[in-house]
Amino acid sequence: MPLVNDVKWVETLTFRFGVLGALVADRYARALAEHDLKPKHVGLLSVLDAGLGASQLEIAKLMRVAPSLVVSLADHLEAAGAVERLRDPADRRRQILRLTDRGHDLLARCTARATALDAELTAGLTPAQQAALGAAFDRLAAAHGLPLHEDPDATPR
Amino acid sequence: MPLVNDVKWVETLTFRFGVLGALVADRYARALAEHDLKPKHVGLLSVLDAGLGASQLEIAKLMRVAPSLVVSLADHLEAAGAVERLRDPADRRRQILRLTDRGHDLLARCTARATALDAELTAGLTPAQQAALGAAFDRLAAAHGLPLHEDPDATPR
DNA sequence: CCAAACCGTTCTAGCCATGAATGATTTGGA
DNA sequence: TCCAAATCATTCATGGCTAGAACGGTTTGG
């Protein structure tokens, strides 16, 4: 395959997602440390808030992590008083995770923090660019079957 | 602070960067496994290709990783014949890393692979949306002082 | 009624990345 | 000129995060 591709690696979306994603993740992780949480903890909280995940196994599938990881995440959140475990009376193998008031409050705080980071991150963008970015992300998430995304309106034509 | 923020966590850019970034990183990592490389290896290759990083310490700063990690990355790439280490004659403490022909070739292959992934990823987007996404990424990278980015033209006004 | 499947949990192991300690080399000031 | 401090690369020990195997309790279907 002697055909040469003159696109530089740096110009690739894949690369940019990598560096920017790392930047955003790092900032977010540091902001969350204030509440003694990791990003995945918030992920779990949001799944519960959305009313998804009747069992821990389903949550694991939604979050695309190992079931055993959900256990430790839930342990931590339970110890923090953010969630409570209830045996499913219909199937006593299952644990039903429920957000406590404190859990809702915690999620709200984390969301507010993330929103502040968003503003900081996109400070150099015009409102139009910000909107375009958000719309593109929505489409990408929908196109790749990610959970927890809002269905983007079929605006373009 | 009784003031309630009604933005949902899912609607946050921070969240979307997290999930999409993970998706992209995972795909890319799996594609790279074919060449027995990790994303950071390609990061190092691209730094060298750009002519940056006179010493391993500078490379570590550019890549924002620990100097000791650069050692192991370079070890692997050297074993693969992609880079060679040369003692800097002017300062014999320094190792100068240089891309071999095989290194250039490897980087080109990885870039081509990433470009293919880009196309796959953005298949659901209109060309205008793709362009907007790329432009937004450029601005973000520039605004946050990331290395290896093209300086976006000062088009807006 | 029992074997197979299922759920949550614990425990072990692997990978990636960091930070401290080391040896070689250079530098700047007395 | 000479020596202490700084610098660079390297090695080693450590920690965090995650997956996977193994296990007990529970349900299901033949």
Side-chain angles (χ1 to χ4, degrees):
Chain A
M1 49 211 70
L3 197 51
V4 181
N5 188 332
D6 62 352
V7 174
K8 290 179 189 163
W9 186 66
V10 175
E11 297 167 359
T12 243
L13 262 186
T14 294
F15 165 76
R16 292 170 187 182
F17 254 118
V19 283
L20 289 174
L23 180 82
V24 172
D26 185 60
R27 288 188 180 208
Y28 189 49
R30 260 181 295 154
L32 250 39
E34 173 188 343
H35 297 300
D36 193 30
L37 292 178
K38 307 281 179 184
K40 300 224 163 165
H41 291 131
V42 184
L44 176 50
L45 289 178
S46 69
V47 167
L48 296 178
D49 185 59
L52 304 173
S55 69
Q56 292 185 193
L57 206 65
E58 286 181 34
I59 293 174
K61 279 175 193 148
L62 283 174
M63 294 182 65
R64 305 188 177 189
V65 297
S68 58
L69 183 58
V70 177
V71 175
S72 62
L73 293 175
D75 282 349
H76 185 89
L77 291 174
E78 190 178 27
V83 305
E84 51 188 5
R85 275 191 242 239
L86 309 168
R87 281 279 166 198
D88 184 345
D91 184 342
R92 296 183 38 231
R93 286 172 302 184
R94 300 191 172 196
Q95 298 270 41
I96 297 179
L97 295 180
R98 215 177 61 80
L99 243 59
T100 63
D101 290 345
R102 174 146 173 63
H104 278 109
D105 187 64
L106 206 55
L107 178 57
R109 284 176 203 274
C110 293
T111 304
R113 201 77 184 72
T115 303
L117 287 177
D118 281 4
E120 202 177 304
L121 183 74
T122 62
L125 268 55
T126 66
Q129 281 179 317
Q130 295 181 20
L133 187 61
F137 274 16
D138 267 345
R139 297 225 140 242
L140 289 180
H144 293 89
L146 292 180
L148 287 176
H149 74 84
E150 307 289 320
D151 226 322
D153 317 335
T155 45
R157 190 65 192 92
Chain B
M1 51 211 71
L3 196 51
V4 181
N5 189 330
D6 63 352
V7 174
K8 287 179 190 162
W9 186 65
V10 175
E11 298 167 357
T12 249
L13 261 186
T14 294
F15 164 75
R16 294 171 186 180
F17 253 117
V19 281
L20 289 174
L23 179 82
V24 172
D26 185 60
R27 288 189 180 206
Y28 189 48
R30 259 180 296 153
L32 250 40
E34 174 187 343
H35 296 301
D36 192 30
L37 292 179
K38 308 282 178 181
K40 301 224 163 164
H41 291 131
V42 183
L44 176 50
L45 289 179
S46 69
V47 167
L48 297 178
D49 185 58
L52 303 173
S55 69
Q56 292 185 193
L57 205 65
E58 286 179 35
I59 293 174
K61 280 175 191 148
L62 284 173
M63 294 181 66
R64 303 187 179 192
V65 298
S68 57
L69 183 59
V70 177
V71 174
S72 62
L73 294 175
D75 281 350
H76 185 89
L77 291 174
E78 191 178 27
V83 305
E84 51 188 4
R85 275 190 243 241
L86 309 168
R87 282 280 167 197
D88 183 345
D91 183 343
R92 298 185 35 232
R93 288 171 304 184
R94 300 192 171 194
Q95 297 272 38
I96 297 179
L97 295 181
R98 216 176 63 79
L99 243 60
T100 64
D101 288 345
R102 173 146 172 64
H104 278 110
D105 186 63
L106 206 55
L107 178 58
R109 283 177 203 272
C110 293
T111 303
R113 202 75 185 71
T115 302
L117 287 176
D118 281 3
E120 202 177 303
L121 183 74
T122 62
L125 268 55
T126 66
Q129 280 179 318
Q130 295 182 19
L133 187 62
F137 274 16
D138 265 347
R139 296 224 139 243
L140 289 179
H144 294 88
L146 292 180
L148 286 178
H149 73 85
E150 306 290 318
D151 225 323
D153 316 337
T155 44
R157 190 66 191 91

